[in-house]
Structure formats: C-alpha cells, structure tokens
Amino acid sequence: MARKKIREYDSKSLINKHAKRLANLDLNIKTAQINASTNFEALAAANPWLLQTKLVVKPDMLFGKRGKSGLVKLNMTYDEVVAFCREKLGSKVVINNVCGEITTFVVEPFTPHGAEYYVGLGSERDGIKVSFGACGGIDIEENWDQVAHMLIPTEEVDNINPDHFNKLLGTHAAHADGPAIKAFLDAALKVFEQLDFTLMEINPLAVVNGVALPLDMRGELDDTALFQNTKNWHGAELFPEPFGAKMSAEERTIRDMDERTGASLKLTVLNPNGNIWAMVAGGGASVIYADTVGDLGYASQLGNYAEYSGAPTREETFAYAKELLKVATRPREGGDAGRRALLIGGGVANFTDVAATFAGIVDALRLYQDAIRACNMRIYVRRGGPNYRKGLELMTEIGKELGVPMTVNGPETSMTRICADAIDYVEHGAADAVNGWMDGGWMHVFLNLAKLQKNRVRCENSESQQQVHSRTTSCEK
C-alpha cells in the first residue's frame, strides 16, 4: 500500500458523491476549484451558488494550517474571490520552511456554524481507526488528549450502523448534533473502505440544519488500488506533487513509464548532490537499503529512492536505468565534490529474471560509461533469484569491459553489506572494498551496521515477547 495525498476539492467530491450511493446520506457539499486555466465565467455558470452566497477561498496545495498561516479568506463575494485568486495564483509562500507556488484554490460557501468537531479515519494493520473529538478547529493539536478512538476490523465495516459510534461520541451521542455526526461517521467509513482511502481527516466538521458538513478535509488514497477504482475515482486529480516539490525531467519520465507498464518503476530524487545512489529491485528491498544508509548516519549523502520490480523487460529496465544514471552522474556546478557510489541491490527474486533485468542495466551502464568514470563512481552489486548467476556474470564482465570498479555479490552476501562498502568508498576512498575491507574506515561502518542489526533483533524479540504476552493475557481473560 502506498499512501498518496489528493486535493481537498477531490476528497470532498468523492465523499459527497459516494456517501449517497453507499449510505444513502445526502451531504450536499458545494465546492469549486480554481487554477491558472480556470474560466471564471464558465465556472460561475456551472456553479450558480457562487453568485448566490458569500464564499470561502483557500489554497488547495496539500499542506495544512492554512488558517494559522493567514491563507484562508472568509465571507467574500465571487468578484472578490476572482480578484484574490488572480492576484495570488503563481505567488510564492513559505510553509513549514518549504517554499512553493500557489497554483490551486478551493472555493466553498461561507457557512456560519456553531460547534466544531474533529473526525479522522486511518488505515491500521487490523482495520480502520476512527477518531472523534468535540474540540475541532485550529487548536486540535493542543487538545489531542480529548480525542477518542476506536478500531473497526475491516471485515466488519459492512455490519456497522450509526449506533455503533455511541461509545466513541460519549456524551455527545445524546447531543442534538449526535445523530448527524453518527450518520456522517457511518457514511465516511463506508466510503473510506470502498474507495480505498488510507486517510480521511475532517477538521472541523460542523452540523448545519441537521446535516454534518466537512468544512476542512484532507484525504489520502492507496495508489496501488487504482486498477479497481477507475470508475470510483473518475474525475479526481490523482496524486498531485507535494507542495514545493518540482519533479525533475527524469522523475517525470519514469513516472510516465510506470503508468504504461505492468511493472513497478519508481524514482524520487532526494539530494541531487548526494554521493550514494541506489538502483534497487523490489519495494521492500528499496526501503531496507535507504533505511540502512540513513541508520548508518549517511542519509544526507543519499541521492535518491528508487525501485524497479514486477519483472520489467530488458527494454524497460534499460529505459529506467538510463534515466537514473543520467541524474546520478550529472556534473555539478563548481566541479565534482568527492566520490560517488551506486548500489545495484535487491533481495532474492521470486519470479523476476535477474539476467534479463541486469542485461538492461548493463546496456545503460555501457551508454553512460564516460559519465560514470568522470564522476569517479564505483558500483556495488548484490542480487539473487532466477538466473542470478548469469546476471552476476554480466555485471562482472561489464565492469571489466568499461574499466569501472565494481564488486559483485550473490545471495551469500547480506543485503546491507554493500551499503557499508559504498559508504566506506565515499568517505574514505578505500582502494578496493574487497581487498581493503579491514581498514579503519570500513571497520567503523561495519561495527555500526552490526550494532544496528543487533538492535533490530532485540526489538523483534521484544515485540515477539509482547505478542506472546498479549495472546496469553487474552486467553486468560
């Protein structure tokens, strides 16, 4: 599961549309979106309410605390909204130390209301966590201890009705707003589960004329569920870039490739000036490699997060590796600083033909051989799985052919060992990660890695003991 944010406009549009279908609840949410391409006359014609009521306008840019940042405008006419948006579209603001352009606004009716509530739904390992607080609004974080929670097992969602939330609401269940809030929670839960939301947060939720109305809302979807939600998610802008993020040409190319193939191809540039780069097979392995580099204290040197999996063809792997190598070997302003390392890692594949994917990587290495040598890059390989021996032979041969220093390892070597080798080279310039493995620099990294693995084992043992204790306690009850 990959949690991806969507805009507030789309979150509200989805719950408004599907609450009626799934829970027979008519929320009657009115909302409109404004961006650089908006025709304001056409927008008003399609949404007559824009001319009939006072309005609220706010950036819809995947960041929070808009009210505290003074970016929410209230009680405005449509002409005032248009003037405000024309002035602010494309302007730069700084939010949480991130600078970015405002490109999208959401507009809604200005709704006078009384009490403000907080509602949250989130995916957990064993179900959906539902949260409620009578302390909604901009100070929710300061009042988080007043928020109540309940876990609903996924298989029980269809059997839930509004009265199941009586305990969660506590004394507010009998409040005048109680029935509306419970009906909203029931509908939100069903929409959450059916549309593969991973997060749904409404703050504040108000009750107006007996109907719960989400005034501010944010949502995240499971992007791996796109194949089964083509119809449900229709019309939504799926997974816009985070505020302040500018996707590089290489990232955009790989994203487009990922959308056209049954394989999984991912690239996120973390630090264009990083000296440790990764080209890792498998989503789980890619996280392990990134975590290990970070845990060893070199997160600031990590250039990227990358993953290829799902048995990409030789041609697909070549196209993927070519884009990654383009950014990893790019010359830097003011000349190169230090040495660079490339991790071509992965676990033991189940069905991916290692030789086929490595053949594509070899093609890309051959194409970028001059750039690899120019940036003083060394390559560290570790892989196992179907046809892996042939794949490792291909890597050994291309290293000799190109004169590029390379260490090649099979499944007998631990996955994270090459992280230590790469760090040693980048930091200490060890002449050879095999011949020079006992030097002081590598031993420092090795001891840190051993300590890290020992701590992980200790945590796993502790967690296992807690699970056993939990099961025993449950049985005793």
Side-chain angles (χ1 to χ4, degrees):
M1 177 178 69
R3 303 164 62 114
K4 293 291 185 69
K5 294 181 179 181
I6 58 174
R7 299 196 190 277
E8 180 177 5
Y9 170 79
D10 292 312
S11 294
K12 289 183 174 178
S13 297
L14 289 175
I15 195 172
N16 187 53
K17 176 181 178 180
H18 295 283
K20 180 69 173 177
R21 176 176 66 87
L22 296 172
N24 196 31
L25 180 63
D26 190 356
L27 294 172
N28 194 28
I29 298 173
K30 294 181 174 67
T31 184
Q33 188 179 69
I34 292 175
N35 54 40
S37 64
T38 297
N39 180 312
F40 291 103
E41 291 183 0
L43 184 67
N47 301 276
W49 54 268
L50 288 168
L51 302 174
Q52 299 166 357
T53 184
K54 290 298 185 72
L55 304 169
V56 176
V57 60
K58 51 194 173 182
D60 196 1
M61 298 292 300
L62 309 184
F63 61 76
K65 299 183 179 179
R66 294 168 295 184
K68 283 190 172 182
S69 301
L71 296 173
V72 178
K73 297 298 180 182
L74 307 175
N75 205 20
M76 302 180 79
T77 65
Y78 185 58
D79 287 342
E80 290 172 331
V81 167
V82 171
F84 174 77
C85 290
R86 281 176 170 161
E87 176 189 352
K88 296 298 183 182
L89 280 170
S91 64
K92 292 184 177 182
V93 298
V94 177
I95 303 294
N96 295 328
N97 297 319
V98 176
C99 181
E101 291 185 0
I102 300 295
T103 63
T104 309
F105 288 93
V106 59
V107 185
E108 302 165 343
F110 175 67
T111 306
H113 57 279
E116 294 186 337
Y117 304 100
Y118 170 87
V119 166
L121 294 89
S123 292
E124 301 277 329
R125 178 185 293 273
D126 299 319
I128 300 172
K129 181 180 178 181
V130 183
S131 304
F132 171 79
C135 48
I138 61 175
D139 295 322
I140 183 63
E141 293 179 356
E142 289 79 356
N143 296 292
W144 190 250
D145 59 338
Q146 299 178 39
V147 177
H149 313 277
M150 68 181 295
L151 183 68
I152 299 177
T154 306
E155 62 273 13
E156 295 182 11
V157 170
D158 291 339
N159 300 322
I160 296 296
N161 62 57
D163 288 336
H164 279 83
F165 299 105
N166 284 333
K167 185 176 181 181
L168 180 69
L169 267 63
T171 58
H172 292 278
H175 189 274
D177 292 343
I181 296 172
K182 292 191 295 181
F184 179 83
L185 287 170
D186 178 59
L189 179 68
K190 290 177 169 59
V191 172
F192 186 97
E193 197 271 335
Q194 287 288 318
L195 271 68
D196 290 289
F197 273 82
T198 58
L199 177 71
M200 188 183 287
E201 191 172 45
I202 299 95
N203 182 41
L205 178 78
V207 176
V208 180
N209 298 325
V211 178
L213 180 66
L215 299 182
D216 276 345
M217 181 175 180
R218 70 186 185 105
E220 296 177 3
L221 298 173
D222 177 2
D223 74 341
T224 64
L226 175 60
F227 73 97
Q228 64 184 16
N229 281 290
T230 303
K231 183 177 180 180
N232 288 339
W233 295 353
H234 178 71
E237 178 190 357
L238 296 181
F239 320 130
E241 295 177 24
F243 174 71
K246 289 188 177 180
M247 191 174 287
S248 67
E250 294 80 14
E251 290 172 304
R252 187 170 289 107
T253 297
I254 289 178
R255 182 198 62 185
D256 294 343
M257 289 169 52
D258 182 58
E259 293 175 351
R260 297 193 303 267
T261 179
S264 177
L265 304 171
K266 302 290 189 294
L267 171 65
T268 300
V269 177
L270 303 174
N271 176 10
N273 295 317
N275 290 325
I276 300 172
W277 295 81
M279 189 186 305
V280 181
S286 63
V287 174
I288 289 173
Y289 278 99
D291 280 353
T292 300
V293 172
D295 288 341
L296 290 173
Y298 293 86
S300 62
Q301 294 275 11
L302 188 60
N304 71 312
Y305 167 83
E307 176 246 327
Y308 67 94
S309 61
T313 65
R314 174 175 180 168
E315 292 74 19
E316 289 172 334
T317 310
F318 165 68
Y320 172 80
K322 181 177 64 173
E323 296 301 318
L324 196 157
L325 287 170
K326 186 187 301 182
V327 65
T329 61
R330 181 168 289 148
R332 295 168 183 169
E333 294 183 8
D336 242 311
R339 297 164 288 271
R340 302 188 207 182
L342 174 65
L343 304 170
I344 302 179
V348 178
N350 293 320
F351 58 88
T352 297
D353 186 329
V354 174
T357 54
F358 272 15
I361 295 174
V362 164
D363 293 339
L365 292 174
R366 187 175 285 116
L367 180 65
Y368 275 86
Q369 57 179 296
D370 291 338
I372 291 171
R373 287 192 290 262
C375 71
N376 208 12
M377 175 178 280
R378 297 196 177 190
I379 300 172
Y380 300 85
V381 181
R382 191 274 188 187
R383 192 70 165 111
N387 219 6
Y388 82 91
R389 294 185 186 279
K390 183 177 179 181
L392 298 183
E393 290 174 2
L394 290 173
M395 285 294 179
T396 301
E397 291 169 3
I398 192 64
K400 294 177 180 177
E401 174 189 332
L402 304 182
V404 174
M406 183 183 300
T407 61
V408 180
N409 304 277
E412 71 283 350
T413 301
S414 69
M415 285 177 58
T416 53
R417 164 65 188 269
I418 65 171
C419 295
D421 290 344
I423 289 170
D424 181 46
Y425 169 65
V426 167
E427 287 297 299
H428 305 285
D432 188 302
V434 174
N435 297 330
W437 73 275
M438 283 300 291
D439 70 20
W442 196 93
M443 282 302 295
H444 169 72
V445 173
F446 178 79
L447 290 173
N448 283 342
L449 181 60
K451 184 185 298 183
L452 169 65
Q453 292 173 332
K454 184 177 181 180
N455 288 339
R456 283 178 173 168
V457 170
R458 185 183 298 117
C459 290
E460 290 171 359
N461 290 340
S462 175
E463 183 177 330
S464 298
Q465 291 172 0
Q466 291 175 1
Q467 290 173 349
V468 170
H469 174 73
S470 177
R471 288 194 294 268
T472 303
T473 304
S474 177
C475 291
E476 289 173 351
K477 290 180 179 178

